[in-house]
Amino acid sequence: MSSSIGKKVNFLSLKNIVLIGGGDLMAVSAKIFKELDFNVTMIVATRHIDEKLTLSNNTLADYCKELNINPHVITDINLLTKKQFSAIIPKHSLALCFGPAWVFNNQVLSQFFYGMFNINAIPIPHYLGGAHYTWQLLNKNMDGGCFFQQITNKVDQGDIFDQLRFNISSEVNTPNQYFAENVKHGTCFIHKLATKFIEGSEFIPVPYSELNKHRLYFPRLRTDRQAYINWHWTAQEIVSFCQGFDEPYSGAASFIQGIKLRFKKVRLITLTDEYNNETPPMHPFCSGLIIRITNSEANNSIIVAARNGFIALEEVSCEEKCYKSYLKEGMRIHTPQNIIDDAMSYEVTIDGLGFKD
């Protein structure tokens, strides 16, 4: 190991865990720590408390009620005074953060005796930022990871205290499925982490500087503003893009006769002729054309030509209603260039209440 690896530490005396953020893994972690007799406090942003958890029909508020936890719902944690902090968090506590809505200031960082840590369910140092699984699907990246990383005043650049790396299953092709696999592995990681706390296992911090030279950062995304298909892309690029905005999102979008449609369950396909010869790719001018509609019990797809291949659209909607029956062979699906330009130039702004625009 590098000589820059930090001093060994343990958390044997730790009894108080403060969970900050939201999502399924934080909910599962609350249950794990409670079952292991830790005192669990939860701080949740306003926009997180009533969000549906991705892997269940419950909200974080529902889950807290089941666990008999009274969450502290806060718009901006950085505005709390020391007196307000002392009223909601116990002394000698450690903060574990799961996608928190805030970048913490120094006053917040100083409130936790054992420090503040992120649980990053991404393959650090790649895919930092936001919309991790969408970006991974776009790039056909199947790396998985879960990291116990110290939070400092340098965002996402604290020391790594523990980690788990794994591969995403090859059949996974939606953000929901990426998320489910990461929660599964993350649950095991949290349980092992909690056990290490109890047993007083030593953690050897690895400076983030050793990873930072390989850093890849990707921004947050908004499906309603950015998930528009560019029909100049290849068939494979369009499929990857659509998969990136599949469940739990509303789907990638394009237009037909001025009507905006959204697509899910999009896949790359091979076409053959009556002699079972593979149909070659068509001229780029054919991109977006509906060249075949199949309606049978075994197959109900809209086949569209694209550069270097063909794609099948299995789920098409317009304003949350099925629109497939209105589509006809010979129609063209198209995204105007000004909409693509707007999607490419848009930058997400978000705070504890949600999107700013």
Side-chain angles (χ1 to χ4, degrees):
M1 290 186 176
S2 168
S3 60
S4 62
I5 288 177
K7 182 180 178 181
K8 297 178 182 179
V9 297
N10 71 68
F11 299 93
L12 181 61
S13 301
L14 175 64
K15 300 298 180 186
N16 300 315
I17 298 287
V18 179
L19 304 180
I20 303 176
D24 295 67
L25 189 54
M26 187 168 93
V28 172
S29 298
K31 182 178 181 181
I32 289 172
F33 281 109
K34 285 211 71 172
E35 289 177 346
L36 293 174
D37 293 326
F38 285 89
N39 177 31
V40 177
T41 302
M42 194 176 288
I43 297 176
V44 184
T46 305
R47 67 181 173 89
H48 282 147
I49 190 64
D50 291 320
E51 284 180 342
K52 284 286 182 70
L53 297 176
T54 304
L55 303 180
S56 74
N57 290 322
N58 291 332
T59 64
L60 193 56
D62 296 330
Y63 210 91
C64 289
K65 188 174 182 180
E66 289 179 17
L67 294 174
N68 198 27
I69 294 174
N70 185 22
H72 301 281
V73 182
I74 295 172
T75 299
D76 190 345
I77 196 172
N78 292 303
L79 298 181
L80 295 182
T81 65
K82 287 187 176 180
K83 184 177 181 180
Q84 288 172 320
F85 260 112
S86 64
I88 64 175
I89 65 171
K91 293 181 178 179
H92 301 104
S93 59
L94 177 146
L96 275 184
C97 300
F98 300 78
W102 315 281
V103 174
F104 303 111
N105 62 27
N106 288 330
Q107 177 178 294
V108 175
L109 292 171
S110 68
Q111 299 301 313
F112 297 91
F113 181 83
Y114 288 98
M116 299 189 74
F117 293 83
N118 256 333
I119 297 297
N120 278 325
I122 54 175
I124 288 176
H126 299 166
Y127 295 95
L128 294 162
H132 318 291
Y133 307 140
T134 293
W135 290 114
Q136 286 188 262
L137 280 158
L138 264 62
N139 294 321
K140 290 297 181 185
N141 180 278
M142 309 301 287
D143 297 329
C146 199
F147 291 77
F148 176 49
Q149 182 182 20
Q150 189 170 27
I151 296 176
T152 69
N153 54 12
K154 294 183 179 180
V155 178
D156 290 333
Q157 297 189 46
D159 292 350
I160 306 294
F161 277 57
D162 204 0
Q163 62 180 275
L164 169 69
R165 293 183 183 271
F166 52 91
N167 293 321
I168 302 294
S169 303
S170 59
E171 65 271 15
V172 167
N173 58 23
T174 69
N176 246 4
Q177 292 170 342
Y178 263 76
F179 189 82
E181 288 228 351
N182 277 277
V183 169
K184 178 182 70 175
H185 289 283
T187 299
C188 295
F189 179 73
I190 293 295
H191 196 279
K192 289 179 180 178
L193 190 66
T195 302
K196 289 179 180 180
F197 291 167
I198 293 168
E199 295 175 348
S201 300
E202 292 184 326
F203 294 84
I204 306 175
V206 176
Y208 185 77
S209 58
E210 297 190 2
L211 299 175
N212 198 44
K213 60 185 177 182
H214 303 293
R215 179 183 181 90
L216 297 178
Y217 184 91
F218 296 86
R220 291 181 181 272
L221 295 170
R222 277 187 65 166
T223 305
D224 61 335
R225 296 290 300 269
Q226 295 172 289
Y228 290 100
I229 299 168
N230 185 337
W231 291 93
H232 291 105
W233 295 331
T234 66
Q236 180 59 74
E237 290 166 344
I238 290 172
V239 169
S240 296
F241 185 79
C242 293
Q243 289 174 341
F245 291 97
D246 208 308
E247 295 294 342
Y249 309 118
S250 56
S254 193
F255 296 81
I256 197 161
Q257 297 181 346
I259 299 171
K260 183 166 68 174
L261 306 178
R262 291 199 177 272
F263 310 104
K264 295 183 181 180
K265 297 181 181 178
V266 176
R267 56 190 174 88
L268 193 68
I269 62 168
T270 300
L271 297 183
T272 58
D273 63 18
E274 65 271 30
Y275 304 108
N276 208 33
N277 297 315
E278 185 173 330
T279 303
M282 297 179 176
H283 189 279
F285 185 68
C286 298
S287 293
L289 281 178
I290 298 174
I291 57 173
R292 182 184 300 167
I293 295 178
T294 60
N295 291 297
S296 67
E297 291 184 8
N299 191 358
N300 185 10
S301 298
I302 295 166
I303 310 302
V304 181
R307 283 184 56 216
N308 298 336
F310 306 94
I311 60 178
L313 310 175
E314 296 189 4
E315 187 174 312
V316 182
S317 63
C318 175
E319 297 181 351
E320 300 181 359
K321 296 179 181 179
C322 180
Y323 196 77
K324 289 176 74 172
S325 61
Y326 295 95
L327 301 181
K328 307 297 181 185
E329 294 175 346
M331 287 181 168
R332 185 188 294 274
I333 306 171
H334 175 67
T335 309
Q337 188 61 45
N338 67 304
I339 291 177
I340 292 173
D341 290 342
D342 287 344
M344 294 289 285
S345 61
Y346 177 77
E347 294 183 9
V348 173
T349 304
I350 194 169
D351 65 10
L353 290 174
F355 293 115
K356 296 300 289 182
D357 58 348

